Amino acid sequence: MKKYYLQIYRHTLNTGEEEAWVDLNSLSIHPELALRLAEYGVVEIKQGRVRLSHAARLIKLQRLRSNLSVNLSGAAIILDLLERIEALQEEVDRLKRR
């Protein structure tokens, strides 16, 4: 019987600093795709760099596209809804702690 091993790679981002910027080339996302996303207002790009928080959004969006074969606008909508759900869950948790 053959054994198969799954290797998982994860690009970890330190989200402690909101003003930190990341080079787009380090995220392995095509520059044209990043520019289109900037035009849609999904991310902010300055001099080939994106905010750290937006880099995390780009990685999630890329995963949605590659894993679920969702088109770009669909992935942007899903990403927005996921972020809203996360915010609501944080609010529920905060209210439960009261």
Side-chain angles (χ1 to χ4, degrees):
M1 174 185 269
K2 285 186 174 182
K3 291 185 179 180
Y4 296 95
Y5 296 95
L6 178 65
Q7 238 178 341
I8 299 174
Y9 296 96
R10 183 174 176 194
H11 193 291
T12 57
L13 298 171
N14 179 10
T15 57
E17 298 179 35
E18 285 300 317
E19 290 302 315
W21 291 77
V22 178
D23 187 17
L24 269 175
N25 296 328
S26 70
L27 300 176
S28 69
I29 293 177
H30 197 278
E32 285 183 27
L33 175 63
L35 290 175
R36 275 185 37 199
L37 291 170
E39 289 174 4
Y40 292 159
V42 176
V43 295
E44 179 184 354
I45 298 176
K46 286 185 181 176
Q47 300 172 351
R49 297 166 120 4
V50 294
R51 290 185 189 275
L52 193 55
S53 59
H54 290 185
R57 296 181 88 204
L58 281 173
I59 291 169
K60 284 182 187 179
L61 193 131
Q62 189 68 17
R63 261 190 316 203
L64 284 170
R65 292 192 67 213
S66 63
N67 294 345
L68 300 177
S69 301
V70 177
N71 65 17
L72 187 59
S73 58
I77 291 170
I78 291 170
L79 183 64
D80 183 51
L81 292 173
L82 286 172
E83 288 175 350
R84 289 182 187 196
I85 290 170
E86 288 172 2
L88 288 171
Q89 187 61 48
E90 288 174 5
E91 180 71 15
V92 167
D93 291 343
R94 187 184 64 78
L95 291 172
K96 281 182 179 180
R97 285 191 300 264
R98 280 185 160 185

